[in-house]
Amino acid sequence: MGSVETSSLMRDLLKQAGGVAVVDGGLATELERHGADLNDPLWSAKCILTSPHLIRTVHLDYLEAGADIIITASYQATIQGFEAKGFSTEESEDLLRKSVEIAREARDIYYDRCTEGSSGDSGNGRILKRRKILVAASVGSYGAYLADGSEYSGDYGEAMTLGTLKDFHRRRVRVLAEAGPDLLAFETVPNKLEAQAYAELLEEENMELPAWFSFNSKDGVNVVSGDSLLECAAIAESSKNVVAVGINCTPPRFIHGLLTSITKVATKPIIVYPNSGESYDADRKMWVQNTGVSDEDFVSYVNKWCEVGASLVGGCCRTTPQTIRAIYRTLPNRSTTPPEQ
Ligand SMILES: C[S+](C)CC[C@H](N)C(=O)O
Ligand SMILES: N[C@@H](CCS)C(=O)O
Ligand SMILES: [Zn+2]
């Protein structure tokens, strides 16, 4: 797939969606809401081993909530992480592939349901509308693999190099790409070095798959490491594989400002999928309410975010299918369905 086809993937999706495509919501935290115990170094990737059926159910819930893109459970799935659990390299690679297979299966089941059921809204709030659906293979950061919340500090120590990061991700990204997703989602990217590593990796490996780069911020100005968001976005912008650039797993209150800033360098579609605004306690692997700052339900801001340039909108940690259904319904070109009874 050349760069022309790469960018047409996103163009076609956005056209079909009437300008703004819907991304799914939090996967890991939704698995947790269904009872999964993610207190493990593999975090949500543990469910690839223990409860693939649950991952499939959550993907389906998001599709029925109106998501045009579902993101695989591979955020914290790494060959190194699986090997630390005693799996062979081959088994570890199979587990990576499995995350993509689960999402593809969910899409197939969803399409069957669209054929079986009436088209459109099935009356109980489920959106059964045959449309192009993309499977995005999640690539979480090196910090995610560390399983200590480092994706919210972006601090990998002085000794970390570009080469080490590229080597860490190289085989994983290759295996995921070959498992048949529609694109790669480099998400919760916490620093410039890792963005650079991803961009070089895509280039060096002659990767033909489209990708998005999505950064996180905890001050509403820079990415979490303190690196300039504009410099990070410029790296994404200059990669021929990258078809969207944006922000995820960031409190809703920062999104408007970050979007305004990112539009200064981004000509590619802008993606945004905030978290609920709560903070992650990495020691306890729990989400805690911020004191003193409240993030109201962010769906009411979605159309404003689109006005300032977002064209792919969804949710990250602690958002649910309900959030995604509300986003779908608030978008002027999608809301042909009556409100839920
Ligand atoms: C996006 S964070 C909540 C993911 C989990 C973290 N890497 C951990 O393992 O604690
Ligand atoms: N796609 C991942 C992102 C975590 S920040 C998830 O939703 O679990
Ligand atoms: Zn998140």
Side-chain angles (χ1 to χ4, degrees), residues 152 249 316-317:
Y152 296 124
C249 216
C316 203
C317 295

Side-chain angles (χ1 to χ4, degrees), residues 118-190:
S118 56
S119 193
D121 196 319
S122 71
N124 55 4
R126 291 157 76 206
I127 294 154
L128 293 175
K129 196 166 175 241
R130 199 174 174 100
R131 61 195 184 278
K132 188 173 178 64
I133 286 162
L134 302 183
V135 168
S138 173
V139 181
S141 65
Y142 173 74
Y145 152 78
L146 294 178
D148 60 358
S150 290
E151 67 268 66
Y152 296 124
S153 73
D155 182 2
Y156 296 167
E158 287 294 307
M160 180 51 78
T161 65
L162 190 61
T164 305
L165 283 179
K166 282 196 280 185
D167 289 344
F168 176 79
H169 288 292
R170 192 178 303 273
R171 179 69 192 153
R172 171 196 196 199
V173 168
R174 166 67 56 204
V175 171
L176 284 171
E178 287 174 359
D182 298 292
L183 75 168
L184 294 164
F186 293 98
E187 41 174 10
T188 332
V189 185

Side-chain angles (χ1 to χ4, degrees), residues 29 38 40-44 75-76 143-152 188 249 280-283 285 287 316-317:
T29 52
L38 306 187
D40 187 277
L42 292 177
W43 199 49
S44 52
Y75 174 81
Q76 206 146 310
Y145 152 78
L146 294 178
D148 60 358
S150 290
E151 67 268 66
Y152 296 124
T188 332
C249 216
Y280 186 62
D281 177 336
D283 294 331
K285 291 208 185 299
W287 290 86
C316 203
C317 295

